[in-house]
Amino acid sequence: MATSTPDIQRSRRAKNASRPGDRIFSGLSRGSGITLLVIMAAIAVFLTYRAVLAISKDSTNFFTTFEWNPAANPPAFGIAVLAFGTIVSSIIAMLIAVPVAIGIALFISHYAPRRMAKPLAYVVDLLAAVPSIIYGLWGAIFLVPYLDGLNQWLDQYMGWTYIFDKSSDGVARNLFTVGILLAIMILPIITNVTREVFLQVPRMHEEAALALGATRWEVIRMSVLPFGRSGIISASMLGLGRALGETMAVAVVLSPSFLISGHLLDPGGGTFAQNIAAKFNEANEFGRDALIASGLVLFAITLLVNGAARWIIGRRKEYSGAAA
C-alpha cells in the first residue's frame, strides 16, 4: 500500500526533530520567547507597583487632571494633557509619513532605474540610523523658524476649521510642528520595511497582470498593494511605536504647557516621553513614582497599538486564506 504524502511529511518532521541540532535550536527559540515574556511581565509588574504608590497619594483624578505637580501638598498630577499631546502628535505624524513612505517605497522598488534605486535605498537606510537628538536639534534650529510662515498661511486660509486657527502668538513650538518632525523621523523606518515587502511580490503576479494589458499603476494596484498590505500595516505600527515613545526630539522642539487646546498651531502641549525627560532629574522619589505612573500608561498604549496591529494582520491572513 502506497504511503500518502501527509504520512511522508510527518515522518520527515519526526526524523528532523530527532536531530541534536534541531532540538537545540528548538529549545533556544522556545527559551528566547519565554525570556521575552518574562522580561515584559517584570517591566509591567515594576511599573504597576510604583504607579500604585503614586496614584494612591494623588489628590486629583489621575486620568483627567490638567496639572503636573507631585511636589504640592497634597500632590496633584494627571495625564490628560500628556495623553492628548502624545496621541495627537502621533496621528499627525502617521497621516503625513505613511502615504509618503508608501510612495517612496513604490518608486524605489518599481519605478526608479536600478542605478538610482540602490543609492536612494542606501540614503533611506542612513536616515533611519540618525539619532533622535540630531533630528531634535535640526528641528529646533531649522524647522521651527521655517514653519512660522506655514502656520500663518494655515491660520489665514484654513483658520475656519478651528484646528488651524492660531489664537495666540508665538513661535511654531506646538504639536503640529512636533507631528511634522515625528513624520520625518519615522519616514525612513516605514519606507525601509515597506520597500522590502514590495520587493517580495511574486514576479509571476506582475508579469501576468502585464500580459493581460494592465498598466504599471494597475499592476501596482492589483498585485503589489494587496500583497504588501499586511507589511504596510506592520511598518506603520513600527513607525507609530517610535512616534509614541520619542523623547529627545520632542523635548527639544516642543514648548511644554499643561493645557489642552484644539488649536494645533498654538504653542504648548506635552507628551508622555517629553514630560518624563524634562522632569526626571529634578523630581524627588515620589515625583519619579508619578512619572513612572505616566510611563505605565504609555506602556499600555503601546501594547494596545501593537496588539491591534497583530489582530488586523491576523484577520488579513485569515481573509486571504479563505479567499484562496
Side-chain angles (χ1 to χ4, degrees), residues 177-243:
T177 301
V178 170
I180 294 176
L181 181 62
L182 291 176
I184 296 172
M185 294 179 65
I186 67 177
L187 184 64
I189 299 174
I190 302 176
T191 302
N192 282 341
V193 178
T194 306
R195 183 193 73 228
E196 294 300 324
V197 172
F198 289 161
L199 290 174
Q200 300 303 318
V201 177
R203 186 64 182 172
M204 293 182 62
H205 291 185
E206 300 182 31
E207 292 177 350
L210 289 172
L212 292 174
T215 63
R216 180 74 64 87
W217 164 243
E218 289 173 337
V219 170
I220 291 173
R221 182 171 57 85
M222 294 186 299
S223 300
V224 178
L225 292 179
F227 179 87
R229 191 166 298 164
S230 297
I232 294 172
I233 296 173
S234 300
S236 301
M237 291 305 104
L238 284 175
L240 179 58
R242 180 171 186 182

Short mmCIF file of all heavy atoms in Angstrom, two decimals, residues 177-243:
data_model
loop_
_atom_site.label_atom_id
_atom_site.label_comp_id
_atom_site.label_asym_id
_atom_site.label_seq_id
_atom_site.Cartn_x
_atom_site.Cartn_y
_atom_site.Cartn_z
N THR A 177 4.05 71.15 14.80
CA THR A 177 5.47 71.04 14.46
C THR A 177 6.04 69.71 14.92
O THR A 177 6.82 69.07 14.21
CB THR A 177 6.25 72.20 15.09
OG1 THR A 177 5.73 73.44 14.61
CG2 THR A 177 7.73 72.11 14.76
N VAL A 178 5.67 69.30 16.12
CA VAL A 178 6.13 68.01 16.63
C VAL A 178 5.66 66.88 15.72
O VAL A 178 6.42 65.94 15.42
CB VAL A 178 5.63 67.79 18.07
CG1 VAL A 178 5.89 66.36 18.52
CG2 VAL A 178 6.30 68.76 19.02
N GLY A 179 4.41 66.95 15.25
CA GLY A 179 3.92 65.92 14.35
C GLY A 179 4.70 65.86 13.05
O GLY A 179 5.01 64.77 12.54
N ILE A 180 5.05 67.02 12.50
CA ILE A 180 5.85 67.05 11.26
C ILE A 180 7.23 66.46 11.51
O ILE A 180 7.75 65.67 10.70
CB ILE A 180 5.94 68.48 10.73
CG1 ILE A 180 4.56 68.97 10.28
CG2 ILE A 180 6.94 68.57 9.57
CD1 ILE A 180 4.54 70.42 9.82
N LEU A 181 7.84 66.84 12.63
CA LEU A 181 9.17 66.31 12.95
C LEU A 181 9.12 64.79 13.15
O LEU A 181 10.00 64.06 12.66
CB LEU A 181 9.71 66.99 14.20
CG LEU A 181 11.10 66.55 14.66
CD1 LEU A 181 12.14 66.86 13.59
CD2 LEU A 181 11.48 67.25 15.97
N LEU A 182 8.11 64.31 13.86
CA LEU A 182 7.97 62.86 14.05
C LEU A 182 7.74 62.15 12.72
O LEU A 182 8.24 61.04 12.51
CB LEU A 182 6.83 62.57 15.00
CG LEU A 182 7.03 62.97 16.47
CD1 LEU A 182 5.77 62.69 17.28
CD2 LEU A 182 8.21 62.22 17.08
N ALA A 183 6.99 62.78 11.82
CA ALA A 183 6.78 62.19 10.50
C ALA A 183 8.10 62.02 9.76
O ALA A 183 8.34 60.99 9.11
CB ALA A 183 5.81 63.05 9.69
N ILE A 184 8.96 63.03 9.84
CA ILE A 184 10.28 62.94 9.19
C ILE A 184 11.11 61.84 9.82
O ILE A 184 11.85 61.12 9.13
CB ILE A 184 10.99 64.30 9.28
CG1 ILE A 184 10.21 65.35 8.49
CG2 ILE A 184 12.42 64.20 8.75
CD1 ILE A 184 10.73 66.76 8.68
N MET A 185 10.98 61.65 11.13
CA MET A 185 11.78 60.65 11.83
C MET A 185 11.34 59.23 11.53
O MET A 185 12.17 58.32 11.41
CB MET A 185 11.72 60.91 13.34
CG MET A 185 12.36 62.21 13.77
SD MET A 185 12.24 62.50 15.55
CE MET A 185 13.25 61.15 16.17
N ILE A 186 10.02 59.02 11.44
CA ILE A 186 9.53 57.66 11.21
C ILE A 186 9.45 57.31 9.73
O ILE A 186 9.26 56.13 9.39
CB ILE A 186 8.16 57.45 11.87
CG1 ILE A 186 7.08 58.29 11.20
CG2 ILE A 186 8.22 57.76 13.35
CD1 ILE A 186 5.69 58.07 11.76
N LEU A 187 9.59 58.29 8.86
CA LEU A 187 9.50 58.04 7.43
C LEU A 187 10.50 56.99 6.94
O LEU A 187 10.12 56.08 6.19
CB LEU A 187 9.68 59.36 6.67
CG LEU A 187 9.54 59.32 5.15
CD1 LEU A 187 8.12 58.91 4.76
CD2 LEU A 187 9.88 60.68 4.55
N PRO A 188 11.80 57.05 7.32
CA PRO A 188 12.74 56.02 6.84
C PRO A 188 12.39 54.62 7.33
O PRO A 188 12.58 53.64 6.59
CB PRO A 188 14.09 56.49 7.41
CG PRO A 188 13.91 57.93 7.70
CD PRO A 188 12.49 58.09 8.10
N ILE A 189 11.89 54.50 8.56
CA ILE A 189 11.55 53.18 9.10
C ILE A 189 10.42 52.55 8.29
O ILE A 189 10.50 51.39 7.86
CB ILE A 189 11.15 53.30 10.58
CG1 ILE A 189 12.30 53.85 11.40
CG2 ILE A 189 10.70 51.95 11.13
CD1 ILE A 189 11.94 54.14 12.84
N ILE A 190 9.35 53.31 8.08
CA ILE A 190 8.21 52.78 7.32
C ILE A 190 8.62 52.49 5.88
O ILE A 190 8.22 51.47 5.30
CB ILE A 190 7.04 53.78 7.37
CG1 ILE A 190 6.63 54.04 8.83
CG2 ILE A 190 5.85 53.24 6.59
CD1 ILE A 190 5.54 55.09 8.98
N THR A 191 9.43 53.37 5.30
CA THR A 191 9.86 53.18 3.91
C THR A 191 10.69 51.93 3.75
O THR A 191 10.50 51.15 2.80
CB THR A 191 10.66 54.41 3.44
OG1 THR A 191 9.86 55.59 3.56
CG2 THR A 191 11.08 54.24 1.99
N ASN A 192 11.64 51.69 4.66
CA ASN A 192 12.51 50.52 4.56
C ASN A 192 11.72 49.22 4.58
O ASN A 192 11.90 48.34 3.73
CB ASN A 192 13.53 50.52 5.70
CG ASN A 192 14.66 51.49 5.46
OD1 ASN A 192 14.90 51.90 4.33
ND2 ASN A 192 15.36 51.86 6.50
N VAL A 193 10.84 49.08 5.57
CA VAL A 193 10.08 47.84 5.70
C VAL A 193 9.13 47.67 4.52
O VAL A 193 9.01 46.58 3.95
CB VAL A 193 9.31 47.83 7.03
CG1 VAL A 193 8.48 46.56 7.16
CG2 VAL A 193 10.28 47.94 8.21
N THR A 194 8.45 48.75 4.14
CA THR A 194 7.50 48.66 3.02
C THR A 194 8.21 48.32 1.72
O THR A 194 7.70 47.52 0.91
CB THR A 194 6.75 50.00 2.88
OG1 THR A 194 6.15 50.34 4.12
CG2 THR A 194 5.67 49.90 1.82
N ARG A 195 9.39 48.91 1.51
CA ARG A 195 10.14 48.61 0.28
C ARG A 195 10.50 47.13 0.21
O ARG A 195 10.37 46.49 -0.85
CB ARG A 195 11.41 49.46 0.25
CG ARG A 195 12.23 49.28 -1.02
CD ARG A 195 13.59 49.90 -0.86
NE ARG A 195 14.44 49.12 0.01
CZ ARG A 195 15.16 49.62 1.02
NH1 ARG A 195 15.10 50.91 1.29
NH2 ARG A 195 15.92 48.82 1.75
N GLU A 196 10.96 46.57 1.31
CA GLU A 196 11.32 45.15 1.33
C GLU A 196 10.11 44.27 1.06
O GLU A 196 10.23 43.22 0.41
CB GLU A 196 11.96 44.79 2.67
CG GLU A 196 13.30 45.47 2.92
CD GLU A 196 14.33 45.10 1.87
OE1 GLU A 196 14.33 43.93 1.41
OE2 GLU A 196 15.14 45.97 1.49
N VAL A 197 8.95 44.66 1.57
CA VAL A 197 7.73 43.89 1.32
C VAL A 197 7.36 43.95 -0.16
O VAL A 197 7.01 42.93 -0.77
CB VAL A 197 6.59 44.40 2.19
CG1 VAL A 197 5.26 43.74 1.81
CG2 VAL A 197 6.88 44.16 3.67
N PHE A 198 7.44 45.12 -0.75
CA PHE A 198 7.10 45.25 -2.16
C PHE A 198 8.05 44.45 -3.04
O PHE A 198 7.65 43.95 -4.09
CB PHE A 198 7.14 46.73 -2.57
CG PHE A 198 6.01 47.55 -2.01
CD1 PHE A 198 6.10 48.93 -1.94
CD2 PHE A 198 4.86 46.94 -1.54
CE1 PHE A 198 5.06 49.69 -1.44
CE2 PHE A 198 3.81 47.69 -1.03
CZ PHE A 198 3.92 49.07 -0.99
N LEU A 199 9.30 44.33 -2.65
CA LEU A 199 10.26 43.56 -3.44
C LEU A 199 10.00 42.06 -3.37
O LEU A 199 10.55 41.30 -4.18
CB LEU A 199 11.69 43.86 -2.96
CG LEU A 199 12.22 45.27 -3.28
CD1 LEU A 199 13.58 45.49 -2.63
CD2 LEU A 199 12.30 45.49 -4.79
N GLN A 200 9.20 41.62 -2.38
CA GLN A 200 8.88 40.20 -2.24
C GLN A 200 7.66 39.77 -3.04
O GLN A 200 7.29 38.60 -3.01
CB GLN A 200 8.65 39.88 -0.76
CG GLN A 200 9.83 40.16 0.15
CD GLN A 200 11.08 39.42 -0.27
OE1 GLN A 200 11.01 38.24 -0.63
NE2 GLN A 200 12.22 40.09 -0.22
N VAL A 201 7.02 40.71 -3.73
CA VAL A 201 5.85 40.36 -4.54
C VAL A 201 6.28 39.37 -5.62
O VAL A 201 7.27 39.61 -6.33
CB VAL A 201 5.23 41.62 -5.18
CG1 VAL A 201 4.06 41.23 -6.07
CG2 VAL A 201 4.78 42.59 -4.11
N PRO A 202 5.58 38.23 -5.76
CA PRO A 202 5.96 37.25 -6.80
C PRO A 202 5.99 37.89 -8.19
O PRO A 202 5.03 38.55 -8.61
CB PRO A 202 4.86 36.19 -6.70
CG PRO A 202 4.36 36.30 -5.30
CD PRO A 202 4.46 37.75 -4.94
N ARG A 203 7.08 37.69 -8.86
CA ARG A 203 7.25 38.28 -10.18
C ARG A 203 6.19 37.79 -11.17
O ARG A 203 5.75 38.52 -12.05
CB ARG A 203 8.66 37.95 -10.70
CG ARG A 203 9.02 38.64 -12.01
CD ARG A 203 9.07 40.14 -11.83
NE ARG A 203 9.37 40.81 -13.09
CZ ARG A 203 9.32 42.13 -13.25
NH1 ARG A 203 8.97 42.91 -12.24
NH2 ARG A 203 9.62 42.66 -14.42
N MET A 204 5.74 36.56 -10.99
CA MET A 204 4.75 36.00 -11.91
C MET A 204 3.43 36.74 -11.81
O MET A 204 2.71 36.86 -12.81
CB MET A 204 4.55 34.51 -11.60
CG MET A 204 5.77 33.64 -11.90
SD MET A 204 5.46 31.89 -11.56
CE MET A 204 4.14 31.57 -12.73
N HIS A 205 3.08 37.26 -10.61
CA HIS A 205 1.84 38.02 -10.48
C HIS A 205 1.90 39.29 -11.32
O HIS A 205 0.93 39.64 -12.01
CB HIS A 205 1.61 38.37 -9.00
CG HIS A 205 1.29 37.19 -8.15
ND1 HIS A 205 0.95 37.29 -6.82
CD2 HIS A 205 1.26 35.85 -8.44
CE1 HIS A 205 0.73 36.09 -6.33
NE2 HIS A 205 0.92 35.21 -7.28
N GLU A 206 3.01 39.97 -11.24
CA GLU A 206 3.15 41.21 -12.00
C GLU A 206 3.20 40.93 -13.50
O GLU A 206 2.59 41.66 -14.31
CB GLU A 206 4.41 41.95 -11.56
CG GLU A 206 4.42 42.34 -10.08
CD GLU A 206 5.66 43.11 -9.69
OE1 GLU A 206 6.19 43.84 -10.55
OE2 GLU A 206 6.11 42.98 -8.54
N GLU A 207 3.93 39.89 -13.89
CA GLU A 207 4.02 39.56 -15.32
C GLU A 207 2.67 39.13 -15.87
O GLU A 207 2.33 39.44 -17.03
CB GLU A 207 5.07 38.47 -15.53
CG GLU A 207 6.48 38.94 -15.24
CD GLU A 207 7.50 37.83 -15.37
OE1 GLU A 207 7.06 36.66 -15.50
OE2 GLU A 207 8.71 38.12 -15.34
N ALA A 208 1.88 38.43 -15.06
CA ALA A 208 0.56 38.01 -15.51
C ALA A 208 -0.35 39.22 -15.74
O ALA A 208 -1.10 39.28 -16.72
CB ALA A 208 -0.07 37.06 -14.50
N ALA A 209 -0.27 40.19 -14.82
CA ALA A 209 -1.08 41.40 -14.99
C ALA A 209 -0.64 42.18 -16.22
O ALA A 209 -1.47 42.70 -16.98
CB ALA A 209 -0.97 42.28 -13.74
N LEU A 210 0.66 42.28 -16.46
CA LEU A 210 1.15 42.98 -17.65
C LEU A 210 0.73 42.25 -18.93
O LEU A 210 0.40 42.88 -19.94
CB LEU A 210 2.68 43.09 -17.59
CG LEU A 210 3.25 44.05 -16.54
CD1 LEU A 210 4.77 43.91 -16.47
CD2 LEU A 210 2.87 45.49 -16.87
N ALA A 211 0.73 40.91 -18.88
CA ALA A 211 0.34 40.14 -20.05
C ALA A 211 -1.13 40.35 -20.39
O ALA A 211 -1.54 40.24 -21.56
CB ALA A 211 0.61 38.66 -19.82
N LEU A 212 -1.95 40.66 -19.38
CA LEU A 212 -3.37 40.93 -19.62
C LEU A 212 -3.63 42.36 -20.07
O LEU A 212 -4.78 42.75 -20.28
CB LEU A 212 -4.17 40.64 -18.34
CG LEU A 212 -4.23 39.16 -17.92
CD1 LEU A 212 -4.91 39.03 -16.56
CD2 LEU A 212 -4.96 38.34 -18.97
N GLY A 213 -2.57 43.15 -20.21
CA GLY A 213 -2.71 44.50 -20.71
C GLY A 213 -2.79 45.57 -19.63
O GLY A 213 -3.17 46.71 -19.93
N ALA A 214 -2.46 45.24 -18.39
CA ALA A 214 -2.54 46.22 -17.31
C ALA A 214 -1.40 47.23 -17.43
O ALA A 214 -0.30 46.91 -17.90
CB ALA A 214 -2.46 45.53 -15.95
N THR A 215 -1.67 48.45 -17.04
CA THR A 215 -0.63 49.48 -16.98
C THR A 215 0.22 49.30 -15.73
O THR A 215 -0.08 48.46 -14.87
CB THR A 215 -1.27 50.88 -16.98
OG1 THR A 215 -2.07 51.02 -15.78
CG2 THR A 215 -2.15 51.08 -18.20
N ARG A 216 1.27 50.10 -15.62
CA ARG A 216 2.15 49.99 -14.45
C ARG A 216 1.38 50.26 -13.16
O ARG A 216 1.53 49.54 -12.18
CB ARG A 216 3.30 50.99 -14.60
CG ARG A 216 4.30 50.99 -13.44
CD ARG A 216 5.18 49.76 -13.49
NE ARG A 216 5.99 49.76 -14.68
CZ ARG A 216 7.18 50.36 -14.79
NH1 ARG A 216 7.67 51.03 -13.77
NH2 ARG A 216 7.87 50.30 -15.91
N TRP A 217 0.54 51.29 -13.17
CA TRP A 217 -0.22 51.60 -11.97
C TRP A 217 -1.25 50.51 -11.66
O TRP A 217 -1.48 50.16 -10.50
CB TRP A 217 -0.93 52.94 -12.11
CG TRP A 217 -2.01 53.14 -11.09
CD1 TRP A 217 -3.33 53.29 -11.32
CD2 TRP A 217 -1.84 53.19 -9.67
NE1 TRP A 217 -4.01 53.43 -10.13
CE2 TRP A 217 -3.11 53.37 -9.10
CE3 TRP A 217 -0.72 53.09 -8.82
CZ2 TRP A 217 -3.31 53.46 -7.73
CZ3 TRP A 217 -0.91 53.18 -7.46
CH2 TRP A 217 -2.19 53.36 -6.91
N GLU A 218 -1.87 49.93 -12.70
CA GLU A 218 -2.83 48.85 -12.47
C GLU A 218 -2.16 47.61 -11.90
O GLU A 218 -2.74 46.91 -11.06
CB GLU A 218 -3.55 48.52 -13.78
CG GLU A 218 -4.52 49.60 -14.22
CD GLU A 218 -5.09 49.34 -15.60
OE1 GLU A 218 -4.44 48.59 -16.38
OE2 GLU A 218 -6.17 49.87 -15.90
N VAL A 219 -0.93 47.34 -12.31
CA VAL A 219 -0.17 46.23 -11.74
C VAL A 219 0.06 46.48 -10.25
O VAL A 219 -0.10 45.58 -9.42
CB VAL A 219 1.17 46.04 -12.48
CG1 VAL A 219 2.06 45.06 -11.74
CG2 VAL A 219 0.93 45.57 -13.90
N ILE A 220 0.46 47.69 -9.92
CA ILE A 220 0.70 48.01 -8.52
C ILE A 220 -0.60 47.93 -7.72
O ILE A 220 -0.63 47.38 -6.60
CB ILE A 220 1.33 49.42 -8.41
CG1 ILE A 220 2.75 49.39 -8.96
CG2 ILE A 220 1.31 49.91 -6.97
CD1 ILE A 220 3.40 50.74 -9.05
N ARG A 221 -1.69 48.44 -8.28
CA ARG A 221 -2.96 48.46 -7.56
C ARG A 221 -3.54 47.06 -7.38
O ARG A 221 -4.12 46.76 -6.34
CB ARG A 221 -3.96 49.34 -8.31
CG ARG A 221 -5.30 49.48 -7.63
CD ARG A 221 -6.14 50.54 -8.32
NE ARG A 221 -6.33 50.25 -9.73
CZ ARG A 221 -7.29 49.45 -10.22
NH1 ARG A 221 -8.14 48.86 -9.39
NH2 ARG A 221 -7.40 49.27 -11.52
N MET A 222 -3.37 46.17 -8.39
CA MET A 222 -3.98 44.85 -8.33
C MET A 222 -3.07 43.78 -7.74
O MET A 222 -3.56 42.78 -7.20
CB MET A 222 -4.41 44.42 -9.74
CG MET A 222 -5.52 45.27 -10.31
SD MET A 222 -6.15 44.64 -11.89
CE MET A 222 -4.65 44.75 -12.91
N SER A 223 -1.74 43.98 -7.83
CA SER A 223 -0.82 42.92 -7.39
C SER A 223 0.06 43.34 -6.21
O SER A 223 0.16 42.61 -5.23
CB SER A 223 0.08 42.50 -8.57
OG SER A 223 -0.68 42.02 -9.64
N VAL A 224 0.69 44.51 -6.32
CA VAL A 224 1.68 44.89 -5.32
C VAL A 224 1.03 45.31 -4.00
O VAL A 224 1.38 44.80 -2.93
CB VAL A 224 2.58 46.02 -5.87
CG1 VAL A 224 3.59 46.45 -4.81
CG2 VAL A 224 3.30 45.56 -7.13
N LEU A 225 0.10 46.24 -4.06
CA LEU A 225 -0.52 46.76 -2.84
C LEU A 225 -1.31 45.69 -2.08
O LEU A 225 -1.18 45.60 -0.85
CB LEU A 225 -1.41 47.96 -3.16
CG LEU A 225 -0.66 49.22 -3.64
CD1 LEU A 225 -1.65 50.33 -3.95
CD2 LEU A 225 0.34 49.68 -2.59
N PRO A 226 -2.13 44.85 -2.74
CA PRO A 226 -2.80 43.79 -1.97
C PRO A 226 -1.83 42.82 -1.32
O PRO A 226 -2.05 42.38 -0.19
CB PRO A 226 -3.67 43.10 -3.03
CG PRO A 226 -3.90 44.13 -4.07
CD PRO A 226 -2.64 44.93 -4.12
N PHE A 227 -0.76 42.45 -2.04
CA PHE A 227 0.22 41.52 -1.47
C PHE A 227 0.92 42.14 -0.26
O PHE A 227 1.19 41.46 0.73
CB PHE A 227 1.24 41.14 -2.54
CG PHE A 227 2.31 40.20 -2.04
CD1 PHE A 227 2.11 38.84 -2.06
CD2 PHE A 227 3.51 40.70 -1.55
CE1 PHE A 227 3.09 37.98 -1.59
CE2 PHE A 227 4.50 39.85 -1.08
CZ PHE A 227 4.29 38.48 -1.11
N GLY A 228 1.23 43.43 -0.34
CA GLY A 228 2.01 44.07 0.72
C GLY A 228 1.18 44.74 1.79
O GLY A 228 1.75 45.47 2.63
N ARG A 229 -0.13 44.52 1.83
CA ARG A 229 -0.98 45.24 2.78
C ARG A 229 -0.61 44.92 4.23
O ARG A 229 -0.50 45.82 5.06
CB ARG A 229 -2.44 44.90 2.52
CG ARG A 229 -3.43 45.79 3.27
CD ARG A 229 -4.81 45.61 2.69
NE ARG A 229 -4.85 46.02 1.30
CZ ARG A 229 -5.83 45.69 0.46
NH1 ARG A 229 -6.82 44.93 0.86
NH2 ARG A 229 -5.80 46.13 -0.79
N SER A 230 -0.39 43.66 4.53
CA SER A 230 0.00 43.30 5.89
C SER A 230 1.35 43.90 6.25
O SER A 230 1.56 44.35 7.38
CB SER A 230 0.04 41.77 6.04
OG SER A 230 -1.23 41.21 5.84
N GLY A 231 2.27 43.91 5.30
CA GLY A 231 3.58 44.51 5.55
C GLY A 231 3.49 46.01 5.77
O GLY A 231 4.22 46.57 6.60
N ILE A 232 2.61 46.67 5.03
CA ILE A 232 2.42 48.12 5.22
C ILE A 232 1.89 48.39 6.63
O ILE A 232 2.34 49.33 7.30
CB ILE A 232 1.46 48.67 4.15
CG1 ILE A 232 2.09 48.58 2.76
CG2 ILE A 232 1.09 50.12 4.46
CD1 ILE A 232 1.13 48.94 1.64
N ILE A 233 0.95 47.58 7.08
CA ILE A 233 0.41 47.75 8.43
C ILE A 233 1.51 47.54 9.47
O ILE A 233 1.64 48.30 10.43
CB ILE A 233 -0.76 46.78 8.67
CG1 ILE A 233 -1.92 47.12 7.74
CG2 ILE A 233 -1.22 46.84 10.12
CD1 ILE A 233 -3.06 46.12 7.78
N SER A 234 2.31 46.50 9.29
CA SER A 234 3.41 46.24 10.24
C SER A 234 4.41 47.39 10.26
O SER A 234 4.85 47.83 11.32
CB SER A 234 4.11 44.93 9.86
OG SER A 234 3.23 43.84 9.88
N ALA A 235 4.77 47.89 9.07
CA ALA A 235 5.71 49.01 9.00
C ALA A 235 5.13 50.25 9.66
O ALA A 235 5.84 50.98 10.38
CB ALA A 235 6.06 49.29 7.54
N SER A 236 3.85 50.49 9.45
CA SER A 236 3.20 51.66 10.06
C SER A 236 3.19 51.55 11.57
O SER A 236 3.39 52.54 12.28
CB SER A 236 1.77 51.80 9.53
OG SER A 236 1.77 51.95 8.12
N MET A 237 2.97 50.35 12.09
CA MET A 237 2.96 50.17 13.54
C MET A 237 4.35 50.36 14.14
O MET A 237 4.49 50.86 15.25
CB MET A 237 2.42 48.79 13.90
CG MET A 237 0.94 48.61 13.60
SD MET A 237 -0.12 49.85 14.39
CE MET A 237 -0.52 50.90 12.96
N LEU A 238 5.38 49.95 13.39
CA LEU A 238 6.75 50.22 13.86
C LEU A 238 7.00 51.72 13.95
O LEU A 238 7.57 52.22 14.92
CB LEU A 238 7.76 49.57 12.91
CG LEU A 238 7.94 48.06 13.00
CD1 LEU A 238 8.89 47.58 11.91
CD2 LEU A 238 8.49 47.67 14.38
N GLY A 239 6.58 52.44 12.92
CA GLY A 239 6.73 53.89 12.95
C GLY A 239 5.91 54.53 14.04
O GLY A 239 6.37 55.45 14.73
N LEU A 240 4.68 54.05 14.25
CA LEU A 240 3.84 54.60 15.31
C LEU A 240 4.45 54.34 16.68
O LEU A 240 4.36 55.20 17.57
CB LEU A 240 2.44 53.98 15.23
CG LEU A 240 1.43 54.43 16.28
CD1 LEU A 240 1.23 55.94 16.23
CD2 LEU A 240 0.10 53.70 16.09
N GLY A 241 5.07 53.19 16.86
CA GLY A 241 5.72 52.92 18.14
C GLY A 241 6.83 53.90 18.44
O GLY A 241 6.97 54.36 19.58
N ARG A 242 7.60 54.27 17.42
CA ARG A 242 8.65 55.27 17.65
C ARG A 242 8.05 56.65 17.89
O ARG A 242 8.55 57.41 18.73
CB ARG A 242 9.60 55.34 16.46
CG ARG A 242 10.70 56.37 16.68
CD ARG A 242 11.79 56.34 15.65
NE ARG A 242 12.86 57.26 16.01
CZ ARG A 242 13.94 57.49 15.28
NH1 ARG A 242 14.10 56.85 14.14
NH2 ARG A 242 14.86 58.34 15.69
N ALA A 243 6.98 56.97 17.17
CA ALA A 243 6.35 58.28 17.36
C ALA A 243 5.78 58.41 18.77
O ALA A 243 5.88 59.46 19.40
CB ALA A 243 5.26 58.49 16.31
#
